Amino acid sequence: MDDETLVEWREWGPAPFEEARAADRPVLLSLTAPWCHWCDRMDEEAYANPSVAANVHDDFLPVRVDVDRHPRIRERYQMGGFPSTVFLTPDGDVITGATYMSTESLRRVLDRVRETWDERGEAAGRVPRALQDPDPPRGSLDGEVEGHMLEQVRDAFDEEYGGWGVDAKFPLPNAVEFALKRDRDRATRTLDAVYTHLYDTYGGGFYRYATERDWGDPHREKLLDENAAVLRAFANAYLYTGEGAYRDPALGTRDYLTTTLWTGDAFAGSQAGGDYYTLEPAARESADPPRVDGTVFADRNALAIDALLRLHAYTDDEAARRYAERALDHVRGTLLDGGQVAHYDGGATGLLSDEARLLRALATAAQVLGQSYLDDARAVADRTIERRLDDGTFLDGPTDGPGLLSRPLRPLETTVELADALVDLSLVTGEEGYRTVAREALSAFAGARHRMGVEVAAYATAASRLVRPPLVIEVADEPGSDLHRAAWRVADHEKVVVPNADGEAGTARVLADGERSAPAATPDELGRRVSQVS
């Protein structure tokens, strides 16, 4: 990406901010990603223009950040998409910013920012509201959270084209999973549209989103985390319907993850977009595919591991299990140390997104593969609670670093992921303390529940699992036994399965509303026990 630009970019760190202060200049922060087509375009056009580059060097301190490798910077400075072009004071406060800009647009903005800086200096900067650390909108968790979100699912649904919203269309797999249990028709109609318009039928995998309401003009980048989340949604839809229309896209995405994105040890972070995907199959055979960023990220791999293990649990697909195990072994061996998670090999540690998603993957592995994963799960959970919990809420990482990194961020969506994983861990281990922490963390946002839209439907899913604990199936048998396999294929996708549980060997019991069923000795008998309490 940087090969085309004439700008001499600095790396993020204290030095460029100190240099900007000494030189009395603003900082030009360029947020890019390896998969970002418009980032390449801006390098090839605006930043390859000699006069623009000279203007940047004369009047600004240019800093470039790969947002996949530095998510804390991304969350504090992105302007709604990538590239994000952000102008900062030497203290790191935001003067202004935008996404992609043409050569002429950037030239004009450079002039305006320089004039603003000359007139106002540091006073031109501001701190975004999310980083002003207000008291969180605390409230109580109750059935209204789930009821409100169900209304949102219905009211925001596009009855003509499927999905939610009337502008750009995103897959929104968390909204799909919330709806699968509560409004299955809208969930499956959305998945039908996602498969029709965003699935790469030649190479496998899903594109990021469509810019049009009718799912037209897709952005064709393929990110591991987004593909993993969509794969999981299709797998969960197969659990409910038993239809190949949902199993087959999940298996096709498995193939994409385990071929194109497979590094030999785990899953690569992303594949770039571009015109390649618009070629006919014969032309694609002879063309060079878009580049793959081979970085193994903890959070993205954890999402893939969780999704593949669930696919295996529902279908007995051995490839899904085998690759999930290999990736999990690699992440545990290279990125996990005593409960501390590294974002990637050599990257930052202590990021909430890595901890939350790896905890979920470990909790799922304990349910699908066996309880040998619980020690690592407890270590991650305990360290996260010790280091990231602050006044009942979780911070997204350490509160140090230049610019706005010193300001705490309490991310709703990542908190939801962590709380949901803590619920699983609590039910698998029987340790109520994890559930207590999860309830406290979600309650910190409950006061804003009536303002939440379908984009954060996962909040309502996690809250509902705390208001009314999900079904737990305790299997006094080994993982992979007929009873264990049957436990994964009954009830809904929000249940928890505990293998090697206490009880009469070769039986399973259903725990619902604090009551345990009589033992079931066969899959059919287990199905009857579940139907009696569902």
Side-chain angles (χ1 to χ4, degrees):
M1 184 185 303
D2 290 346
D3 293 344
E4 301 291 338
T5 177
L6 296 178
V7 176
E8 296 179 5
W9 299 103
R10 274 76 156 179
E11 292 186 4
W12 176 275
F17 289 93
E18 294 169 1
E19 188 178 349
R21 185 173 293 105
D24 191 30
R25 297 180 187 176
V27 172
L28 191 167
L29 175 62
S30 171
L31 301 181
T32 67
W35 43 264
C36 174
H37 171 70
W38 289 100
C39 300
D40 290 348
R41 284 281 300 273
M42 199 163 174
D43 272 356
E44 295 164 359
E45 297 170 355
Y47 292 130
N49 183 281
S51 64
V52 169
N55 192 348
V56 169
H57 290 143
D58 288 344
D59 294 334
F60 300 86
L61 260 295
V63 177
R64 172 151 288 183
V65 169
D66 178 336
V67 294
D68 287 353
R69 289 175 171 247
H70 299 281
R72 290 177 63 225
I73 301 173
R74 177 191 67 209
E75 293 308 313
R76 284 159 175 76
Y77 286 113
Q78 69 158 311
M79 294 288 114
F82 303 106
S84 281
T85 308
V86 197
F87 296 90
L88 313 176
T89 70
D91 284 340
D93 295 349
V94 177
I95 299 173
T96 189
T99 53
Y100 167 83
M101 285 188 282
S102 67
T103 302
E104 290 307 312
S105 295
L106 179 59
R107 198 193 309 273
R108 289 194 296 270
V109 171
L110 291 172
D111 290 342
R112 287 202 303 269
V113 172
R114 184 68 223 196
E115 290 172 1
T116 299
W117 175 256
D118 289 342
E119 292 173 1
R120 302 182 59 197
E122 290 280 359
R126 60 180 176 82
V127 176
R129 180 176 298 178
L131 294 170
Q132 294 173 8
D133 200 27
D135 291 333
R138 301 180 190 277
S140 60
L141 293 183
D142 54 36
E144 288 187 16
V145 177
E146 186 177 10
H148 166 76
M149 190 57 66
L150 186 55
E151 291 179 1
Q152 293 296 301
V153 165
R154 293 169 178 166
D155 293 346
F157 189 74
D158 187 336
E159 295 289 348
E160 183 174 2
Y161 295 108
W164 290 277
V166 294
D167 296 312
K169 285 288 177 63
F170 291 82
L172 298 182
N174 288 330
V176 168
E177 292 196 352
F178 173 84
L180 275 171
K181 183 177 176 179
R182 302 161 180 87
D183 190 342
R184 193 173 308 161
D185 176 67
R186 288 184 172 88
T188 54
R189 286 163 65 189
T190 297
L191 289 178
D192 293 344
V194 169
Y195 176 69
T196 299
H197 299 285
L198 297 184
Y199 186 72
D200 181 359
T201 56
Y202 175 78
F206 289 90
Y207 305 131
R208 289 185 62 225
Y209 71 99
T211 60
E212 304 294 338
R213 177 191 170 193
D214 64 358
W215 299 89
D217 191 20
H219 272 232
R220 292 185 169 86
E221 307 90 356
K222 299 180 185 179
L223 277 60
L224 174 60
D225 52 347
E226 295 175 354
N227 269 272
V230 175
L231 186 162
R232 174 177 147 141
F234 272 92
N236 283 330
Y238 175 69
L239 170 68
Y240 286 92
T241 67
E243 295 179 9
Y246 304 108
R247 179 199 60 215
D248 294 347
L251 292 173
T253 306
R254 172 214 64 191
D255 289 342
Y256 173 71
L257 299 186
T258 58
T259 54
T260 303
L261 293 191
W262 184 249
T263 69
D265 298 307
F267 301 105
S270 62
Q271 185 176 26
D275 295 336
Y276 168 87
Y277 297 110
T278 66
L279 300 175
E280 294 296 324
R284 285 175 70 166
E285 285 287 344
S286 58
D288 292 331
R291 66 178 176 271
V292 170
D293 175 15
T295 308
V296 174
F297 295 106
D299 55 349
R300 295 186 181 188
N301 270 264
L303 288 177
I305 291 161
D306 171 70
L308 290 171
L309 287 176
R310 290 177 178 274
L311 178 62
H312 164 71
Y314 302 149
T315 66
D316 287 333
D317 182 73
E318 281 302 303
R321 178 196 59 78
R322 185 170 66 253
Y323 280 95
E325 280 192 275
R326 290 175 64 185
L328 185 52
D329 287 346
H330 179 76
V331 169
R332 293 167 77 197
T334 61
L335 303 181
L336 178 61
D337 182 10
Q340 177 173 275
V341 188
H343 187 47
Y344 60 93
D345 192 7
T349 60
L351 303 185
L352 188 66
S353 60
D354 293 320
E355 296 162 340
R357 291 174 173 182
L358 184 55
L359 177 58
R360 170 183 277 180
L362 289 165
T364 300
Q367 297 176 68
V368 175
L369 303 175
Q371 298 193 15
S372 62
Y373 295 92
L374 285 179
D375 286 346
D376 278 347
R378 288 189 180 95
V380 172
D382 293 347
R383 186 180 179 90
T384 302
I385 292 168
E386 177 187 355
R387 301 294 182 90
R388 301 278 79 81
L389 189 61
D390 177 77
D391 192 25
T393 62
F394 284 93
L395 306 183
D396 70 332
T399 53
D400 56 19
L404 297 178
L405 291 188
S406 62
R407 290 184 172 266
L409 182 64
R410 307 172 192 273
L412 171 60
E413 293 183 35
T414 314
T415 298
V416 167
E417 291 181 291
L418 179 62
D420 207 41
L422 288 170
V423 170
D424 282 353
L425 183 61
S426 175
L427 293 172
V428 172
T429 62
E431 297 173 25
E432 185 65 22
Y434 294 125
R435 181 180 173 84
T436 300
V437 172
R439 175 179 283 276
E440 183 180 16
L442 292 189
S443 296
F445 296 94
R449 61 192 175 187
H450 296 300
R451 302 194 298 273
M452 293 181 181
V454 292
E455 297 80 7
V456 290
Y459 179 85
T461 298
S464 71
R465 298 178 82 224
L466 285 162
V467 171
R468 181 183 179 187
L471 208 69
V472 179
I473 304 177
E474 301 170 329
V475 183
D477 210 341
E478 295 293 324
S481 68
D482 288 346
L483 264 181
H484 178 254
R485 291 166 59 242
W488 273 100
R489 299 171 196 195
V490 295
D492 59 73
H493 70 284
E494 295 176 15
K495 65 179 175 292
V496 170
V497 177
V498 184
N500 294 123
D502 294 335
E504 182 183 348
T507 67
R509 294 186 297 176
V510 180
L511 175 60
D513 296 327
E515 300 290 333
R516 283 185 173 84
S517 72
T522 67
D524 287 343
E525 196 173 3
L526 177 59
R528 289 193 293 272
R529 295 282 187 272
V530 169
S531 65
Q532 290 167 1
V533 298
S534 298

